[in-house]
Amino acid sequence: MKTGLDLWPILSGNLGWLEREEPADCTDEEQDLIDSVVQSFRDWSDISGDIEFSRASVRDAQRSLTAILKELAENKLALYSAAKNNYPLTGGPSTFLRAVAIFQIVRVDPAVQTSG
């Protein structure tokens, strides 16, 4: 994910969260940043239904998300994200299915050059 425009459909469409994955060798500062980033994602997701009616509000959200993703990039971290539909959140005969967001935050190898 590189922009809030990419990330918004995942945040606005999910009703649950799978545990995020992140690098095992994070410094305290990186861990604080990752925690803050994920909390921001959850906050935007929580209010997404309230702002979807306003294109201006959605654009503001997308710009905020882009700034968050840039902060990760400045710290040599990148976000991979997706959504999984019909994920069972309860067991038993009456399983409740929901759309969930999945996040993986990875360390960027500066030796690897990518285009795009």
Short mmCIF file of all heavy atoms in Angstrom, two decimals, residues 33-91:
data_model
loop_
_atom_site.label_atom_id
_atom_site.label_comp_id
_atom_site.label_asym_id
_atom_site.label_seq_id
_atom_site.Cartn_x
_atom_site.Cartn_y
_atom_site.Cartn_z
N LEU A 33 5.74 3.57 16.57
CA LEU A 33 5.20 4.04 15.30
C LEU A 33 4.18 3.05 14.74
O LEU A 33 3.08 3.44 14.35
CB LEU A 33 6.34 4.24 14.28
CG LEU A 33 5.90 4.56 12.85
CD1 LEU A 33 5.11 5.87 12.79
CD2 LEU A 33 7.10 4.60 11.92
N ILE A 34 4.51 1.78 14.74
CA ILE A 34 3.60 0.76 14.22
C ILE A 34 2.31 0.73 15.03
O ILE A 34 1.21 0.69 14.46
CB ILE A 34 4.28 -0.62 14.20
CG1 ILE A 34 5.37 -0.64 13.12
CG2 ILE A 34 3.26 -1.74 13.97
CD1 ILE A 34 6.30 -1.84 13.20
N ASP A 35 2.40 0.79 16.34
CA ASP A 35 1.20 0.81 17.18
C ASP A 35 0.32 2.02 16.86
O ASP A 35 -0.90 1.91 16.75
CB ASP A 35 1.57 0.82 18.66
CG ASP A 35 2.17 -0.50 19.13
OD1 ASP A 35 2.04 -1.52 18.42
OD2 ASP A 35 2.80 -0.50 20.20
N SER A 36 0.96 3.17 16.68
CA SER A 36 0.22 4.40 16.35
C SER A 36 -0.44 4.28 14.97
O SER A 36 -1.60 4.68 14.79
CB SER A 36 1.18 5.59 16.38
OG SER A 36 0.55 6.75 15.92
N VAL A 37 0.28 3.73 14.01
CA VAL A 37 -0.25 3.56 12.66
C VAL A 37 -1.47 2.65 12.67
O VAL A 37 -2.52 2.98 12.12
CB VAL A 37 0.85 3.01 11.73
CG1 VAL A 37 0.27 2.47 10.43
CG2 VAL A 37 1.89 4.09 11.44
N VAL A 38 -1.34 1.50 13.32
CA VAL A 38 -2.45 0.55 13.34
C VAL A 38 -3.65 1.14 14.08
O VAL A 38 -4.80 0.97 13.65
CB VAL A 38 -2.00 -0.80 13.93
CG1 VAL A 38 -3.19 -1.72 14.15
CG2 VAL A 38 -0.98 -1.46 13.00
N GLN A 39 -3.41 1.88 15.15
CA GLN A 39 -4.52 2.52 15.86
C GLN A 39 -5.21 3.54 14.96
O GLN A 39 -6.44 3.64 14.95
CB GLN A 39 -4.04 3.19 17.15
CG GLN A 39 -5.19 3.76 17.98
CD GLN A 39 -6.19 2.69 18.40
OE1 GLN A 39 -5.79 1.68 18.97
NE2 GLN A 39 -7.46 2.89 18.11
N SER A 40 -4.43 4.30 14.18
CA SER A 40 -5.02 5.26 13.24
C SER A 40 -5.88 4.54 12.21
O SER A 40 -6.97 5.01 11.86
CB SER A 40 -3.92 6.05 12.53
OG SER A 40 -3.26 6.89 13.42
N PHE A 41 -5.40 3.39 11.71
CA PHE A 41 -6.19 2.61 10.75
C PHE A 41 -7.51 2.20 11.38
O PHE A 41 -8.57 2.30 10.76
CB PHE A 41 -5.44 1.36 10.32
CG PHE A 41 -4.21 1.60 9.50
CD1 PHE A 41 -3.31 0.58 9.30
CD2 PHE A 41 -3.93 2.83 8.93
CE1 PHE A 41 -2.16 0.77 8.54
CE2 PHE A 41 -2.79 3.04 8.17
CZ PHE A 41 -1.91 2.00 7.98
N ARG A 42 -7.47 1.74 12.61
CA ARG A 42 -8.70 1.31 13.29
C ARG A 42 -9.64 2.48 13.52
O ARG A 42 -10.85 2.36 13.35
CB ARG A 42 -8.36 0.62 14.60
CG ARG A 42 -7.75 -0.74 14.40
CD ARG A 42 -7.42 -1.42 15.70
NE ARG A 42 -6.78 -2.69 15.43
CZ ARG A 42 -7.02 -3.79 16.09
NH1 ARG A 42 -7.88 -3.80 17.08
NH2 ARG A 42 -6.40 -4.91 15.78
N ASP A 43 -9.07 3.63 13.90
CA ASP A 43 -9.90 4.82 14.11
C ASP A 43 -10.61 5.23 12.82
O ASP A 43 -11.80 5.52 12.83
CB ASP A 43 -9.05 5.97 14.64
CG ASP A 43 -8.54 5.74 16.06
OD1 ASP A 43 -9.03 4.82 16.75
OD2 ASP A 43 -7.62 6.48 16.47
N TRP A 44 -9.85 5.27 11.70
CA TRP A 44 -10.47 5.64 10.42
C TRP A 44 -11.53 4.61 10.04
O TRP A 44 -12.58 4.96 9.53
CB TRP A 44 -9.42 5.76 9.32
CG TRP A 44 -8.72 7.08 9.32
CD1 TRP A 44 -7.39 7.31 9.52
CD2 TRP A 44 -9.31 8.37 9.11
NE1 TRP A 44 -7.13 8.65 9.46
CE2 TRP A 44 -8.28 9.33 9.21
CE3 TRP A 44 -10.61 8.81 8.87
CZ2 TRP A 44 -8.51 10.69 9.06
CZ3 TRP A 44 -10.84 10.17 8.73
CH2 TRP A 44 -9.80 11.09 8.82
N SER A 45 -11.25 3.35 10.29
CA SER A 45 -12.24 2.32 9.97
C SER A 45 -13.51 2.50 10.80
O SER A 45 -14.62 2.38 10.27
CB SER A 45 -11.63 0.94 10.24
OG SER A 45 -12.57 -0.06 9.98
N ASP A 46 -13.34 2.81 12.09
CA ASP A 46 -14.49 2.99 12.98
C ASP A 46 -15.42 4.11 12.53
O ASP A 46 -16.63 4.02 12.67
CB ASP A 46 -14.04 3.24 14.41
CG ASP A 46 -13.47 2.01 15.09
OD1 ASP A 46 -13.65 0.89 14.55
OD2 ASP A 46 -12.83 2.16 16.14
N ILE A 47 -14.83 5.20 11.99
CA ILE A 47 -15.68 6.32 11.59
C ILE A 47 -16.00 6.34 10.09
O ILE A 47 -16.70 7.22 9.62
CB ILE A 47 -15.07 7.68 12.01
CG1 ILE A 47 -13.78 7.97 11.24
CG2 ILE A 47 -14.87 7.74 13.51
CD1 ILE A 47 -13.31 9.41 11.39
N SER A 48 -15.50 5.34 9.37
CA SER A 48 -15.68 5.35 7.91
C SER A 48 -17.16 5.41 7.51
O SER A 48 -17.51 6.10 6.55
CB SER A 48 -15.00 4.15 7.27
OG SER A 48 -15.62 2.95 7.67
N GLY A 49 -18.01 4.70 8.22
CA GLY A 49 -19.43 4.72 7.88
C GLY A 49 -20.06 6.08 8.06
O GLY A 49 -21.00 6.44 7.36
N ASP A 50 -19.51 6.88 9.00
CA ASP A 50 -20.05 8.20 9.25
C ASP A 50 -19.61 9.23 8.21
O ASP A 50 -20.26 10.26 8.06
CB ASP A 50 -19.61 8.70 10.64
CG ASP A 50 -20.18 7.85 11.75
OD1 ASP A 50 -21.25 7.24 11.56
OD2 ASP A 50 -19.54 7.77 12.83
N ILE A 51 -18.49 8.98 7.53
CA ILE A 51 -18.00 9.98 6.59
C ILE A 51 -18.15 9.57 5.13
O ILE A 51 -17.89 10.39 4.25
CB ILE A 51 -16.52 10.35 6.87
CG1 ILE A 51 -15.58 9.19 6.60
CG2 ILE A 51 -16.36 10.88 8.28
CD1 ILE A 51 -14.11 9.56 6.66
N GLU A 52 -18.57 8.35 4.87
CA GLU A 52 -18.68 7.88 3.49
C GLU A 52 -19.62 8.75 2.64
O GLU A 52 -19.46 8.81 1.43
CB GLU A 52 -19.17 6.43 3.44
CG GLU A 52 -18.11 5.41 3.72
CD GLU A 52 -17.10 5.25 2.59
OE1 GLU A 52 -17.42 5.54 1.42
OE2 GLU A 52 -15.97 4.85 2.89
N PHE A 53 -20.57 9.42 3.26
CA PHE A 53 -21.51 10.24 2.49
C PHE A 53 -20.85 11.48 1.92
O PHE A 53 -21.39 12.12 1.02
CB PHE A 53 -22.70 10.66 3.38
CG PHE A 53 -22.31 11.62 4.47
CD1 PHE A 53 -22.37 12.98 4.25
CD2 PHE A 53 -21.87 11.15 5.71
CE1 PHE A 53 -22.00 13.87 5.25
CE2 PHE A 53 -21.51 12.04 6.70
CZ PHE A 53 -21.57 13.39 6.47
N SER A 54 -19.68 11.85 2.42
CA SER A 54 -19.01 13.09 2.00
C SER A 54 -17.71 12.77 1.29
O SER A 54 -16.75 12.30 1.91
CB SER A 54 -18.73 13.96 3.23
OG SER A 54 -17.83 15.00 2.90
N ARG A 55 -17.65 13.05 -0.01
CA ARG A 55 -16.42 12.82 -0.77
C ARG A 55 -15.27 13.63 -0.19
O ARG A 55 -14.13 13.16 -0.16
CB ARG A 55 -16.62 13.18 -2.25
CG ARG A 55 -17.34 12.13 -3.03
CD ARG A 55 -16.60 10.80 -3.13
NE ARG A 55 -15.25 10.93 -3.62
CZ ARG A 55 -14.25 10.10 -3.30
NH1 ARG A 55 -14.44 9.10 -2.49
NH2 ARG A 55 -13.05 10.27 -3.79
N ALA A 56 -15.55 14.84 0.28
CA ALA A 56 -14.48 15.68 0.85
C ALA A 56 -13.90 15.02 2.10
O ALA A 56 -12.69 15.02 2.30
CB ALA A 56 -15.01 17.07 1.17
N SER A 57 -14.76 14.45 2.93
CA SER A 57 -14.29 13.77 4.15
C SER A 57 -13.48 12.52 3.81
O SER A 57 -12.46 12.24 4.44
CB SER A 57 -15.47 13.40 5.05
OG SER A 57 -16.12 14.55 5.51
N VAL A 58 -13.93 11.80 2.81
CA VAL A 58 -13.19 10.60 2.39
C VAL A 58 -11.83 11.00 1.83
O VAL A 58 -10.81 10.37 2.15
CB VAL A 58 -14.00 9.78 1.36
CG1 VAL A 58 -13.15 8.67 0.74
CG2 VAL A 58 -15.23 9.19 2.02
N ARG A 59 -11.77 12.07 1.04
CA ARG A 59 -10.48 12.53 0.52
C ARG A 59 -9.56 12.96 1.65
O ARG A 59 -8.36 12.68 1.62
CB ARG A 59 -10.68 13.67 -0.49
CG ARG A 59 -11.13 13.17 -1.86
CD ARG A 59 -11.02 14.26 -2.92
NE ARG A 59 -11.76 15.46 -2.57
CZ ARG A 59 -13.05 15.67 -2.81
NH1 ARG A 59 -13.76 14.72 -3.41
NH2 ARG A 59 -13.64 16.79 -2.48
N ASP A 60 -10.10 13.63 2.67
CA ASP A 60 -9.28 14.00 3.84
C ASP A 60 -8.73 12.75 4.53
O ASP A 60 -7.57 12.71 4.92
CB ASP A 60 -10.10 14.82 4.84
CG ASP A 60 -10.36 16.24 4.37
OD1 ASP A 60 -9.65 16.70 3.44
OD2 ASP A 60 -11.26 16.89 4.94
N ALA A 61 -9.57 11.74 4.66
CA ALA A 61 -9.13 10.48 5.27
C ALA A 61 -8.03 9.85 4.43
O ALA A 61 -7.00 9.40 4.96
CB ALA A 61 -10.31 9.53 5.41
N GLN A 62 -8.23 9.82 3.12
CA GLN A 62 -7.22 9.22 2.24
C GLN A 62 -5.90 9.98 2.31
O GLN A 62 -4.83 9.36 2.34
CB GLN A 62 -7.74 9.19 0.80
CG GLN A 62 -8.89 8.22 0.61
CD GLN A 62 -9.59 8.37 -0.72
OE1 GLN A 62 -9.49 9.40 -1.40
NE2 GLN A 62 -10.31 7.34 -1.13
N ARG A 63 -5.95 11.30 2.39
CA ARG A 63 -4.72 12.10 2.51
C ARG A 63 -4.02 11.82 3.83
O ARG A 63 -2.80 11.72 3.89
CB ARG A 63 -5.04 13.58 2.37
CG ARG A 63 -5.40 13.98 0.97
CD ARG A 63 -5.69 15.47 0.87
NE ARG A 63 -6.22 15.78 -0.44
CZ ARG A 63 -7.42 16.30 -0.67
NH1 ARG A 63 -8.21 16.62 0.34
NH2 ARG A 63 -7.82 16.54 -1.89
N SER A 64 -4.80 11.70 4.88
CA SER A 64 -4.22 11.37 6.20
C SER A 64 -3.54 10.00 6.15
O SER A 64 -2.44 9.82 6.68
CB SER A 64 -5.31 11.39 7.27
OG SER A 64 -4.80 10.94 8.49
N LEU A 65 -4.19 9.03 5.52
CA LEU A 65 -3.62 7.69 5.40
C LEU A 65 -2.35 7.71 4.55
O LEU A 65 -1.38 7.03 4.88
CB LEU A 65 -4.65 6.73 4.80
CG LEU A 65 -5.85 6.44 5.70
CD1 LEU A 65 -6.95 5.75 4.91
CD2 LEU A 65 -5.44 5.63 6.91
N THR A 66 -2.33 8.51 3.50
CA THR A 66 -1.13 8.64 2.67
C THR A 66 0.02 9.19 3.51
O THR A 66 1.15 8.70 3.42
CB THR A 66 -1.39 9.53 1.44
OG1 THR A 66 -2.39 8.90 0.63
CG2 THR A 66 -0.13 9.74 0.63
N ALA A 67 -0.25 10.17 4.36
CA ALA A 67 0.79 10.73 5.23
C ALA A 67 1.32 9.67 6.19
O ALA A 67 2.53 9.59 6.45
CB ALA A 67 0.25 11.94 5.99
N ILE A 68 0.43 8.84 6.71
CA ILE A 68 0.84 7.77 7.62
C ILE A 68 1.73 6.76 6.88
O ILE A 68 2.76 6.33 7.41
CB ILE A 68 -0.40 7.06 8.21
CG1 ILE A 68 -1.12 8.00 9.19
CG2 ILE A 68 -0.04 5.75 8.88
CD1 ILE A 68 -2.50 7.52 9.60
N LEU A 69 1.35 6.40 5.67
CA LEU A 69 2.14 5.46 4.88
C LEU A 69 3.51 6.04 4.53
O LEU A 69 4.52 5.33 4.52
CB LEU A 69 1.38 5.04 3.62
CG LEU A 69 0.09 4.26 3.88
CD1 LEU A 69 -0.69 4.07 2.60
CD2 LEU A 69 0.39 2.92 4.55
N LYS A 70 3.57 7.36 4.28
CA LYS A 70 4.85 8.01 4.02
C LYS A 70 5.74 7.98 5.25
O LYS A 70 6.95 7.81 5.15
CB LYS A 70 4.63 9.45 3.55
CG LYS A 70 4.17 9.55 2.13
CD LYS A 70 4.02 10.98 1.68
CE LYS A 70 3.56 11.03 0.24
NZ LYS A 70 3.39 12.41 -0.25
N GLU A 71 5.14 8.15 6.43
CA GLU A 71 5.92 8.08 7.67
C GLU A 71 6.51 6.68 7.86
O GLU A 71 7.66 6.53 8.27
CB GLU A 71 5.05 8.46 8.88
CG GLU A 71 5.84 8.54 10.16
CD GLU A 71 5.03 9.04 11.33
OE1 GLU A 71 3.81 9.26 11.20
OE2 GLU A 71 5.62 9.21 12.41
N LEU A 72 5.74 5.66 7.55
CA LEU A 72 6.29 4.30 7.59
C LEU A 72 7.47 4.19 6.62
O LEU A 72 8.53 3.66 6.98
CB LEU A 72 5.22 3.27 7.22
CG LEU A 72 4.20 2.88 8.27
CD1 LEU A 72 3.16 1.94 7.67
CD2 LEU A 72 4.86 2.24 9.48
N ALA A 73 7.29 4.68 5.39
CA ALA A 73 8.35 4.59 4.38
C ALA A 73 9.61 5.33 4.82
O ALA A 73 10.72 4.86 4.58
CB ALA A 73 7.84 5.14 3.05
N GLU A 74 9.44 6.49 5.46
CA GLU A 74 10.59 7.24 5.95
C GLU A 74 11.38 6.45 6.99
O GLU A 74 12.57 6.68 7.19
CB GLU A 74 10.14 8.57 6.55
CG GLU A 74 9.66 9.56 5.52
CD GLU A 74 8.93 10.75 6.13
OE1 GLU A 74 8.79 10.83 7.36
OE2 GLU A 74 8.48 11.60 5.33
N ASN A 75 10.70 5.52 7.65
CA ASN A 75 11.33 4.67 8.65
C ASN A 75 11.68 3.30 8.09
O ASN A 75 11.87 2.35 8.84
CB ASN A 75 10.43 4.55 9.88
CG ASN A 75 10.42 5.81 10.69
OD1 ASN A 75 11.31 6.02 11.50
ND2 ASN A 75 9.45 6.69 10.45
N LYS A 76 11.73 3.21 6.75
CA LYS A 76 12.11 1.97 6.04
C LYS A 76 11.16 0.82 6.35
O LYS A 76 11.56 -0.33 6.46
CB LYS A 76 13.55 1.57 6.36
CG LYS A 76 14.58 2.66 6.14
CD LYS A 76 14.84 2.86 4.67
CE LYS A 76 16.02 3.77 4.41
NZ LYS A 76 15.70 5.16 4.30
N LEU A 77 9.86 1.15 6.49
CA LEU A 77 8.83 0.15 6.71
C LEU A 77 7.77 0.30 5.61
O LEU A 77 7.56 1.39 5.09
CB LEU A 77 8.18 0.33 8.09
CG LEU A 77 9.11 0.16 9.29
CD1 LEU A 77 8.42 0.66 10.56
CD2 LEU A 77 9.54 -1.29 9.44
N ALA A 78 7.14 -0.80 5.27
CA ALA A 78 6.09 -0.79 4.25
C ALA A 78 4.90 -1.59 4.74
O ALA A 78 5.04 -2.50 5.55
CB ALA A 78 6.62 -1.38 2.94
N LEU A 79 3.74 -1.23 4.23
CA LEU A 79 2.50 -1.90 4.60
C LEU A 79 1.98 -2.74 3.45
O LEU A 79 1.89 -2.28 2.31
CB LEU A 79 1.43 -0.86 4.97
CG LEU A 79 0.03 -1.42 5.20
CD1 LEU A 79 -0.03 -2.19 6.52
CD2 LEU A 79 -1.00 -0.31 5.18
N TYR A 80 1.65 -3.99 3.76
CA TYR A 80 0.87 -4.84 2.87
C TYR A 80 -0.46 -5.04 3.58
O TYR A 80 -0.50 -5.32 4.77
CB TYR A 80 1.56 -6.20 2.66
CG TYR A 80 2.80 -6.10 1.82
CD1 TYR A 80 4.03 -5.84 2.39
CD2 TYR A 80 2.73 -6.26 0.44
CE1 TYR A 80 5.18 -5.75 1.61
CE2 TYR A 80 3.87 -6.18 -0.35
CZ TYR A 80 5.09 -5.92 0.25
OH TYR A 80 6.21 -5.82 -0.52
N SER A 81 -1.54 -4.89 2.83
CA SER A 81 -2.86 -5.01 3.45
C SER A 81 -3.83 -5.64 2.48
O SER A 81 -3.70 -5.52 1.27
CB SER A 81 -3.37 -3.64 3.88
OG SER A 81 -4.57 -3.76 4.58
N ALA A 82 -4.82 -6.30 3.05
CA ALA A 82 -5.87 -6.93 2.25
C ALA A 82 -7.10 -7.09 3.13
O ALA A 82 -7.06 -6.82 4.33
CB ALA A 82 -5.40 -8.29 1.74
N ALA A 83 -8.17 -7.53 2.53
CA ALA A 83 -9.39 -7.84 3.26
C ALA A 83 -9.78 -9.27 2.93
O ALA A 83 -9.50 -9.77 1.84
CB ALA A 83 -10.52 -6.89 2.88
N LYS A 84 -10.38 -9.92 3.87
CA LYS A 84 -10.88 -11.28 3.67
C LYS A 84 -12.37 -11.26 3.99
O LYS A 84 -12.76 -10.91 5.10
CB LYS A 84 -10.14 -12.26 4.56
CG LYS A 84 -10.64 -13.69 4.40
CD LYS A 84 -9.70 -14.66 5.07
CE LYS A 84 -10.15 -16.09 4.94
NZ LYS A 84 -10.32 -16.58 3.60
N ASN A 85 -13.18 -11.63 3.02
CA ASN A 85 -14.62 -11.67 3.23
C ASN A 85 -15.05 -12.99 3.84
O ASN A 85 -14.36 -14.00 3.72
CB ASN A 85 -15.35 -11.46 1.90
CG ASN A 85 -15.19 -10.06 1.38
OD1 ASN A 85 -15.12 -9.11 2.14
ND2 ASN A 85 -15.09 -9.92 0.07
N ASN A 86 -16.18 -12.96 4.51
CA ASN A 86 -16.79 -14.17 5.09
C ASN A 86 -15.85 -14.91 6.03
O ASN A 86 -15.77 -16.13 6.02
CB ASN A 86 -17.28 -15.11 3.98
CG ASN A 86 -18.35 -14.45 3.14
OD1 ASN A 86 -19.19 -13.72 3.66
ND2 ASN A 86 -18.30 -14.68 1.85
N TYR A 87 -15.14 -14.16 6.85
CA TYR A 87 -14.23 -14.76 7.83
C TYR A 87 -15.03 -15.10 9.09
O TYR A 87 -15.73 -14.25 9.63
CB TYR A 87 -13.11 -13.78 8.17
CG TYR A 87 -12.05 -14.37 9.06
CD1 TYR A 87 -11.04 -15.15 8.52
CD2 TYR A 87 -12.08 -14.17 10.43
CE1 TYR A 87 -10.06 -15.71 9.33
CE2 TYR A 87 -11.11 -14.73 11.24
CZ TYR A 87 -10.10 -15.49 10.68
OH TYR A 87 -9.15 -16.04 11.48
N PRO A 88 -14.95 -16.34 9.56
CA PRO A 88 -15.74 -16.72 10.74
C PRO A 88 -15.13 -16.15 12.03
O PRO A 88 -13.99 -16.42 12.36
CB PRO A 88 -15.66 -18.25 10.73
CG PRO A 88 -14.42 -18.56 9.99
CD PRO A 88 -14.20 -17.46 9.00
N LEU A 89 -15.91 -15.32 12.72
CA LEU A 89 -15.43 -14.73 13.98
C LEU A 89 -15.90 -15.50 15.19
O LEU A 89 -15.47 -15.24 16.30
CB LEU A 89 -15.87 -13.27 14.09
CG LEU A 89 -15.23 -12.32 13.07
CD1 LEU A 89 -15.71 -10.90 13.31
CD2 LEU A 89 -13.72 -12.39 13.12
N THR A 90 -16.80 -16.44 15.01
CA THR A 90 -17.25 -17.29 16.12
C THR A 90 -17.27 -18.73 15.65
O THR A 90 -17.41 -19.00 14.46
CB THR A 90 -18.67 -16.89 16.60
OG1 THR A 90 -19.57 -17.03 15.50
CG2 THR A 90 -18.70 -15.48 17.13
N GLY A 91 -17.12 -19.64 16.56
CA GLY A 91 -17.18 -21.05 16.21
C GLY A 91 -18.57 -21.60 16.44
O GLY A 91 -19.49 -20.89 16.80
#
